[in-house]
Amino acid sequence: MKNRLNPLGGRQEESEVQPAVPIDDENDPEEGVGTRSVYDHPTLRRLLSPPRSSFRIDDLTNAGPSAFGDHATVIGSISLDRSERRKEFFSDRVSDLTRRCRTFIQPQYFADLQQRLRRNRIVGIAGLPKTGRMTAACIALAEHRSADLVRRIFPRGADIVAHLREDPEIIEKGSCYIIEIADRQLTDVLRSLEPIFEGRDSSAIIIRDLRSSEDELHRAEVFHEPPDASLEIFRRHLALYLDGKCVADCGTCAGNCHEAYVSELLTEPVKRSIGLMRSPRECAHYAERIAAELPRGQAIAAILPSEARRRREEARRILLLTERPDEGYHNRSVQHRRALRIAYAVFAGQPMASVSEGAGLLLEKLDHLFAEPVIGRPALLNDLPSLLGRELCSDWHRPVDEACSTQRVTRVAQVDAEVVTAMLDVAWNDFDNTRPALIEWVDELASHPELGFSECAAVAAGIFATHDFDHVYSRVIRRWARDRRWRVRRTAAAAMVSTANLDGADQLGLASNRHVRALVNAEIENLARSTSPLERDTAAMVWGLGYISRNPSQAARALTVVATNATGWRTRNVSDAIERLFGTIGNSWTIGMLSWWLDSSNPALRRHAAQAFFDWVDRLAPTSRRRELFALLDAGPTQVDHMASLWRVVLLDPRFSVTAWQHLAEWLKTGASDPQLSGPIRSLIRRLAADPAIRSRLTYWLSRGSATTTSAA
């Protein structure tokens, strides 16, 4: 195992795992004429290619790794003395108490909370986080004593009892404190703290997490239920953020033009959207966004997050049937319709025959949960529109175009990707004991021989994994990733990319829920560094399908391990993964990685570098996209050296030579008319012509491939 310096940071091992048994799918009949692309499935295409899901290092550094120099080194170290560390336990004033007072709406229990504070030194508030518990505690203590005396104890969840027993003078006399604890039992904390706060003549409110009032609620606690006044909370926060701000370009404005803007903003659709917000914090968040952007008209709908919740409510109406079940069919009347509607959502874009077969497979899995024989499905009894319901079959009776009236039309399932996500969310979370059947159903779809079934399995597994990633990954996705069938491994890769994208890839680094995406990234790393060539092949397919890593250097190192140990004839997956890196991470950065591969002593890395660079150049046929290559030459001498090394390899390789010389000739012809690129082009040609093998072919191919003269080059 040999260590080499690399531009991706630190030392990198060229070969971290040894290749195991080769991939035994060379004669796989699934690969060929009858295979469909994963992008043929409309829902999966949407999940694999979300809007605004890419970032480019070129946009940040302008030259990729070369912006930091070829030999960038950090010298020295930073150490913090123990005396300079922040105190482990301290209290601080609530800085935003004025804002909380202006936007506070009293919950139903607030009067009871104030009475408890008059009788006891310590009371508690239990409830769900991010629902306004902290604001209620601040206002109650401010009215009980004074706003200047309200303090918060940090760090949250610390061993407060031990700290206060050791040093009770931390509590200032006559002050009020808000304490957040992680302990589920409050009795021991109260018994220990009450004498301390009694001796210091202080009061406190203890906040802890509790799901519902039916759980273990202490007699000194009140359960926090946020007030059902989302519109008023939103209005108050909006007025706070607009205070002193001109919203109408009044010129000499005193900041009093808010009322007209708020009246224009709060239309009936907007009010319905605000009514669907779940917590005061959510109301404050979107009020702040609106105050910052000042949208008008249709732009307001793009900010408010109500559509997703509306779709979920629609999904509940679709799946939660209210009719009484038919006892003669053992609940089959309701269960049959639900299974058909779930299959209709998963098989979006597929023919109705596939929908019907998928629904039958799901019903078989559900029947096994009853430990009874398969009941069977009635035929020629109910028509599909009545089984699907009004919401799903709204386009069922759409008239056929006159141009196609003489042809036989095959009906396909028509469901938007957002509705599919909401329906599977409801199917996974809102029913009892259906998850085992859904997991078995998805697993069977992945192995089904019919076209399109594996893509449907990727859709369902990706959506289910956003809710319970560990469960879904351990039960099906991990097993798919090491399957010998290429189609099943592709299903695993598509499911992992879909899970990561659903977790917030549209705003990379600012996603609201990044936990699942972090789990996906960790599992991709494990697959890439696995001893199994099947799992490494799956990792390459994940990147090839468009997965975007938050740490490009980490992704490149893992991809290097995959390329080093690639076996079998499916090495094309590595080239596809690198092509995706060009579009997402950036051209300069990816060119630097390929150049590093060329310098490696591993023949597999050099082969992958040449193949990936040639594929990328070959796909940049339009002149408008060739300018991306020229921009690389203007980034500096380091990038010119990298490009020359890659061009030299593909120009001399018999597999690419003819096409590569033609591309180079067309490339130089395009850049000859641009005076800004003449200097970098000359630098590239000089570096290429330094090789005698290149120099003897250069004049011939330049004159043959285009009308460009050698002097112009």
Side-chain angles (χ1 to χ4, degrees), residues 479-496:
R479 184 158 37 82
W480 295 348
R482 62 171 68 104
D483 197 285
R484 287 191 174 275
R485 291 166 293 183
W486 170 82
R487 176 169 48 85
V488 179
R489 296 199 303 275
R490 186 186 64 176
T491 304
M496 297 181 74

Side-chain angles (χ1 to χ4, degrees), residues 406-450:
T406 59
Q407 302 176 3
R408 294 184 177 90
V409 179
T410 300
R411 296 190 182 274
V412 298
Q414 302 180 23
V415 189
D416 294 335
E418 294 82 3
V419 178
V420 174
T421 304
M423 288 184 62
L424 294 186
D425 178 9
V426 174
W428 183 260
N429 293 301
D430 293 15
F431 290 95
D432 179 38
N433 197 35
T434 55
R435 295 186 178 186
L438 291 173
I439 286 291
E440 293 180 6
W441 178 57
V442 170
D443 193 18
E444 185 170 354
L445 293 181
S447 303
H448 201 280
E450 293 292 334

Side-chain angles (χ1 to χ4, degrees), residues 148-372:
D148 297 333
L149 301 177
V150 180
R151 305 283 192 274
R152 291 180 64 181
I153 291 183
F154 295 93
R156 305 166 187 172
D159 189 1
I160 297 174
V161 176
H163 282 285
L164 293 182
R165 281 179 176 175
E166 181 180 352
D167 188 9
E169 294 185 357
I170 294 177
I171 304 299
E172 299 179 7
K173 290 186 177 181
S175 298
C176 303
Y177 290 87
I178 299 173
I179 306 173
E180 296 179 76
I181 64 172
D183 301 328
R184 300 185 63 86
Q185 299 296 330
L186 192 63
T187 304
D188 297 337
V189 178
L190 288 174
R191 290 175 179 175
S192 302
L193 295 185
E194 279 182 339
I196 298 176
F197 278 86
E198 182 71 28
R200 305 296 293 178
D201 190 24
S202 300
S203 301
I205 293 181
I206 296 179
I207 298 177
R208 71 184 183 111
D209 296 342
L210 199 66
R211 291 184 176 274
S212 66
S213 58
E214 299 178 356
D215 294 341
E216 299 177 2
L217 189 67
H218 194 271
R219 58 180 177 81
E221 284 182 314
V222 294
F223 184 77
H224 174 77
E225 292 184 358
D228 188 14
S230 301
L231 180 60
E232 184 60 28
I233 295 174
F234 178 85
R235 187 194 298 271
R236 293 189 181 187
H237 279 91
L238 185 60
L240 175 66
Y241 292 123
L242 291 176
D243 189 15
K245 184 177 182 180
C246 179
V247 299
D249 296 331
C250 304
T252 57
C253 179
N256 299 323
C257 54
H258 305 152
E259 297 182 0
Y261 175 74
V262 173
S263 301
E264 176 187 352
L265 177 74
L266 295 178
T267 59
E268 289 301 323
V270 172
K271 290 180 180 179
R272 289 194 299 268
S273 300
I274 296 173
L276 295 174
M277 294 181 181
R278 299 178 179 177
S279 65
R281 177 172 293 190
E282 188 176 3
C283 296
H285 170 70
Y286 287 99
E288 184 178 8
R289 283 195 59 185
I290 289 179
E293 301 179 18
L294 299 177
R296 297 181 185 272
Q298 299 296 329
I300 302 174
I303 296 179
L304 297 179
S306 59
E307 293 301 325
R309 199 159 303 147
R310 288 178 179 175
R311 283 192 295 267
R312 198 180 192 283
E313 291 183 353
E314 180 184 357
R316 285 182 59 85
R317 290 193 300 269
I318 293 173
L319 294 179
L320 298 182
L321 304 174
T322 58
E323 296 88 345
R324 298 184 61 181
D326 187 355
E327 298 296 338
Y329 281 99
H330 299 274
N331 200 26
R332 172 47 54 86
S333 177
V334 174
Q335 187 169 285
H336 183 197
R337 277 180 285 177
R338 285 177 179 162
L340 181 64
R341 295 177 181 186
I342 293 173
Y344 188 83
V346 173
F347 282 79
Q350 307 298 314
M352 292 306 301
S354 299
V355 175
S356 181
E357 185 173 355
L361 296 175
L362 178 56
L363 281 170
E364 290 180 7
K365 306 303 178 184
L366 294 172
D367 288 337
H368 286 308
L369 292 179
F370 289 100
E372 295 180 357

Side-chain angles (χ1 to χ4, degrees), residues 504-566:
D506 55 337
Q507 295 181 355
L508 202 61
L510 300 175
S512 59
N513 177 17
R514 293 172 288 180
H515 175 65
V516 176
R517 187 177 176 86
L519 296 177
V520 173
N521 187 72
E523 295 301 337
I524 295 174
E525 289 283 326
N526 294 335
L527 293 177
R529 302 179 186 277
S530 172
T531 58
S532 170
L534 299 170
E535 293 184 346
R536 296 198 298 269
D537 185 63
T538 303
M541 280 193 282
V542 171
W543 287 305
L545 289 176
Y547 174 73
I548 304 170
S549 175
R550 300 183 187 277
N551 190 336
S553 298
Q554 183 181 9
R557 287 191 291 267
L559 184 58
T560 302
V561 177
V562 175
T564 304
N565 300 276

